[in-house]
Amino acid sequence: MKKFSYSLLLISGLAFGQFFEQNKTFTKQDTLKGSNTKFRDFWDVKKYDLSVEPDFEQKSIKGNNIISFEITKNIKSPVFQIDLQQPMSADKVQCSFPTMGNFKRDGDFIFISANKSFKKGEKYTIDVTYSGNPIIAKNAPWDGGWIFKSDEKGNPWMSVADEGIGASVWLPTKDIWSDEPDSGILMKIITPKNLVGVGNGRLISQKTENNKNIFTWQVKNPINAYSIIPSIGKYVNFKDSYDGLKGKLDLDYWVLDYNLDKAKKQFQQIKPMMKSFEYWFGPYPFYEDSYKLVESPHLGMEHQSNVAYGNGYQNGYLGKDLSETGVGLKWDFIIIHESGHEWFANNITAKDQADMWIHESFTNYSEVLFTENYIDKKSADIYAQGIQHNILNDVPIIGKYGVRNEGSGDMYAKGASMIHTMRQIINDDAKFREILRGLNKDFYHQTVTTEQIEKYISEKAGFDFSSIFNQYLRTVDVPVLEYSQNGAELKYRYVNGVKNLNLPIRLGDQTISPNENWQTLNLTNSKPIEFSRNYYIRYKKIN
């Protein structure tokens, strides 16, 4: 039950839902959502200039999005695809190029037929005015959709969570992970006069018109679409700064007015968190846009420079320790985990949702690394070993490509356990840290594939990890080390491993490299062997 609860609560999608998604028959609509189709592969988004105005009473939103883009190849009379999920409506579409009449609506997509030839390098805009009653999240952030709720004082409190379902659940976009607006976004949030609108990046203007507040936020860096989030509520703001690797980093906090004192105390964990992550991963990736933590009407999410926080100002995960070791109660899970995503998910973003492990495995492991800096190495190992009990081994971690399908929720604990295992094999924390920092430097502000990450780690480590990636990302099987000991003689072999599994194990000063055949090692003494739990393998003694 605890294993199921972990996946149920922490992962974007229920365990049963993931099994269904892995085995469903995908449709043309799925392909249009998840693939770089002929309607998408000839243009590159440069910027979103958008506005959003929610209506709390009507549970509706309206606004517009000016999509600036550049043509990436010569093409004649193409058709553009803009994503906007029903029941949201595109009220008007204006293009800076000639079209063949009105746009066509087909399900969750808008198709615009151009009446001209384009040349590589040309730049244009598509301006979509939208409105409607968006899908309401039933259990945000896991199912996705808008949230219209009241805070403890009865004030309207609104936001949206859309990592899994897609930003097009409310906003007309090119809703594919592989294309981020290179020059960021400009977002106007229009609210009633008594409320505050908080967005990504920096607040560059605030004014009141027609008895409404208009807050304009700017992001200068590339941003994944599901991170573009407005939050509206009775917010108050307090600020701090951190002397980081690239100079002064502005820390910006927006919380409900009655939680200000709690926030000032709980958010003291931000600076040690930032120190730890800059040590392991390199500089915070968005100094130009600041670091922001915003109280949210759901548990939390890694929105870039706008991290959503809803953990109730308590340590652990809603006051519980997911590792069941006690270590996880010494820090605030949502602050640490969701902020870790600024490096893995927001700085380095998977091109396809099937490769979401790149986001979650490294970020789950960031909890271990933070624990090591914040407490000590022993506690970090205990935590890393503890989270193994959350692994389900239900379906592979990598999902189906091209259809917006994510793999198993094991991308969290199992993915982190894989990384911890790899760290034992590297057996050089300076090199391990160099690899993590190198990933964030060499893939800075990029979208990537699993193949790129696998190749990079193996090359920098000087060790072929391909069989280990195959084992943990592409199968549900856990390697089992069968062994027997007779005095100082140890016999051992792997079962349940992929072909040619290359996963050596250190035994004190000695190292074994098991395969499917029995091997023998003469130990330095006849004491009963003790295997490290830092490897995610199972041990089975054979009499």
Side-chain angles (χ1 to χ4, degrees):
M1 184 61 186
K2 290 173 182 174
K3 290 183 180 180
F4 178 79
S5 296
Y6 179 85
S7 291
L8 178 67
L9 292 175
L10 181 60
I11 301 155
S12 304
L14 307 180
F16 290 139
Q18 291 160 345
F19 178 82
F20 172 77
E21 286 291 318
Q22 286 276 322
N23 293 277
K24 70 178 283 190
T25 299
F26 293 100
T27 66
K28 177 184 176 182
Q29 296 277 311
D30 294 318
T31 300
L32 287 171
K33 287 181 179 179
S35 295
N36 192 25
T37 64
K38 65 180 181 180
F39 309 116
R40 287 170 160 171
D41 66 359
F42 62 93
W43 57 291
D44 176 43
V45 176
K46 293 301 179 183
K47 187 178 182 181
Y48 292 133
D49 187 342
L50 66 103
S51 69
V52 56
E53 180 179 359
D55 186 314
F56 183 77
E57 298 299 330
Q58 299 297 321
K59 304 293 186 291
S60 66
I61 57 173
K62 64 181 180 180
N64 79 297
N65 189 15
I66 301 172
I67 304 169
S68 301
F69 62 91
E70 181 176 325
I71 300 297
T72 58
K73 63 181 179 182
N74 296 342
I75 191 168
K76 182 179 180 180
S77 301
V79 177
F80 292 80
Q81 173 187 326
I82 305 296
D83 307 294
L84 182 62
Q85 296 179 39
Q86 299 181 35
M88 293 300 296
S89 173
D91 303 318
K92 183 168 64 173
V93 177
Q94 295 177 295
C95 303
S96 64
F97 53 86
T99 64
M100 296 181 182
N102 293 331
F103 65 91
K104 176 184 176 183
R105 182 73 191 248
D106 185 2
D108 292 333
F109 313 102
I110 299 165
F111 293 100
I112 304 165
S113 297
N115 190 17
K116 75 178 297 289
S117 295
F118 295 88
K119 292 184 179 180
K120 180 179 179 180
E122 292 179 342
K123 297 180 180 180
Y124 299 92
T125 61
I126 298 174
D127 184 354
V128 183
T129 300
Y130 67 94
S131 65
N133 297 92
I135 292 172
I136 304 296
K138 296 181 177 64
N139 188 28
W142 302 281
D143 60 341
W146 265 77
I147 304 114
F148 295 91
K149 65 180 292 186
S150 300
D151 67 18
E152 292 180 7
K153 292 187 176 180
N155 299 303
W157 195 12
M158 298 169 279
S159 190
V160 60
D162 54 30
E163 179 184 24
I165 197 171
S168 57
V169 74
W170 68 281
L171 182 69
T173 59
K174 185 179 182 182
D175 198 4
I176 187 170
W177 285 13
S178 58
D179 193 358
E180 301 179 346
D182 304 282
S183 299
I185 65 169
L186 202 66
M187 175 163 56
K188 292 182 180 178
I189 306 173
I190 303 169
T191 77
K193 195 173 181 179
N194 64 325
L195 298 179
V196 175
V198 184
N200 306 79
R202 295 182 183 274
L203 180 63
I204 60 171
S205 73
Q206 177 182 347
K207 60 183 179 180
T208 301
E209 290 182 357
N210 300 321
N211 209 35
K212 295 179 181 180
N213 291 327
I214 302 174
F215 301 85
T216 302
W217 296 83
Q218 181 181 36
V219 173
K220 293 184 177 181
N221 291 294
I223 181 171
N224 49 57
Y226 73 78
S227 276
I228 302 171
I229 300 293
S231 297
I232 299 93
K234 201 72 178 292
Y235 286 113
V236 293
N237 172 238
F238 68 102
K239 301 179 184 297
D240 202 344
S241 64
Y242 174 75
D243 294 325
L245 294 179
K246 291 177 67 175
K248 180 183 176 182
L249 173 62
D250 293 325
L251 308 177
D252 200 19
Y253 307 129
W254 296 79
V255 300
L256 296 180
D257 52 3
Y258 53 82
N259 284 328
L260 180 61
D261 291 339
K262 292 180 181 178
K264 286 182 175 180
K265 179 179 179 181
Q266 192 72 1
F267 291 0
Q268 290 176 16
Q269 296 184 32
I270 299 298
K271 289 185 179 180
M273 175 272 295
M274 197 63 68
K275 180 179 179 181
S276 173
F277 288 167
E278 287 209 327
Y279 173 82
W280 286 107
F281 303 147
Y284 175 74
F286 309 107
Y287 269 73
E288 301 87 349
D289 297 324
S290 80
Y291 170 87
K292 189 184 309 88
L293 199 60
V294 181
E295 187 170 1
S296 64
H298 59 81
L299 180 61
M301 186 59 72
E302 67 263 21
H303 308 136
Q304 184 176 314
S305 63
N306 184 17
V307 177
Y309 175 83
N311 201 36
Y313 302 99
Q314 58 190 325
N315 284 350
Y317 177 92
L318 294 174
K320 298 179 181 179
D321 177 12
L322 294 178
S323 75
E324 297 188 351
T325 65
V327 176
L329 292 176
K330 297 182 179 180
W331 39 267
D332 189 313
F333 178 93
I334 294 299
I335 289 177
I336 304 309
H337 180 90
E338 304 303 347
S339 298
H341 275 305
E342 291 283 49
W343 284 263
F344 291 97
N346 299 340
N347 183 34
I348 304 173
T349 307
K351 286 182 180 294
D352 193 292
Q353 202 156 335
D355 286 336
M356 191 172 156
W357 77 271
I358 297 169
H359 301 188
E360 299 300 349
S361 299
F362 286 98
T363 301
N364 202 255
Y365 197 67
S366 75
E367 302 160 24
V368 177
L369 297 173
F370 170 75
T371 299
E372 185 168 330
N373 285 62
Y374 192 57
I375 308 175
D376 54 39
K377 179 71 177 295
K378 181 179 179 181
S379 298
D381 283 345
I382 291 172
Y383 184 82
Q385 294 164 16
I387 63 175
Q388 291 182 15
H389 79 272
N390 296 306
I391 299 171
L392 298 177
N393 288 309
D394 51 355
V395 293
I397 286 176
I398 293 180
K400 302 291 193 302
Y401 288 100
V403 288
R404 284 192 74 95
N405 171 251
E406 62 189 55
S408 171
D410 282 347
M411 68 179 80
Y412 291 79
K414 185 177 180 180
S417 298
M418 176 187 72
I419 295 170
H420 199 51
T421 298
M422 294 162 62
R423 182 181 181 184
Q424 312 312 308
I425 294 170
I426 294 171
N427 194 29
D428 182 341
D429 277 354
K431 178 180 285 188
F432 179 69
R433 174 175 170 244
E434 184 179 315
I435 291 170
L436 295 176
R437 291 169 69 97
L439 284 168
N440 280 280
K441 179 181 178 182
D442 294 343
F443 296 111
Y444 183 72
H445 291 178
Q446 295 182 35
T447 60
V448 301
T449 65
T450 286
E451 182 181 8
Q452 287 177 284
I453 299 301
E454 290 183 0
K455 182 179 179 181
Y456 186 93
I457 293 175
S458 290
E459 286 182 352
K460 297 301 181 181
F463 181 91
D464 184 2
F465 282 109
S466 59
S467 65
I468 291 177
F469 286 121
N470 286 337
Q471 182 78 55
Y472 295 109
L473 298 180
R474 299 178 175 90
T475 82
V476 297
D477 300 320
V478 182
V480 178
L481 182 74
E482 292 186 339
Y483 72 97
S484 65
Q485 182 178 359
N486 184 13
E489 182 183 79
L490 179 69
K491 292 185 177 181
Y492 56 91
R493 71 172 181 181
Y494 273 141
V495 296
N496 217 36
V498 297
K499 186 178 180 180
N500 299 320
L501 176 62
N502 183 16
L503 201 170
I505 302 171
R506 284 183 292 110
L507 306 174
D509 295 332
Q510 297 175 286
T511 300
I512 59 174
S513 297
N515 55 37
E516 65 272 16
N517 301 313
W518 284 104
Q519 299 180 61
T520 301
L521 173 70
N522 291 320
L523 300 167
T524 56
N525 58 64
S526 58
K527 294 181 180 178
I529 194 74
E530 293 185 9
F531 294 101
S532 172
R533 287 189 57 211
N534 283 324
Y535 298 89
Y536 181 53
I537 60 178
R538 292 171 179 156
Y539 303 102
K540 182 179 180 181
K541 187 173 183 180
I542 305 297
N543 295 322

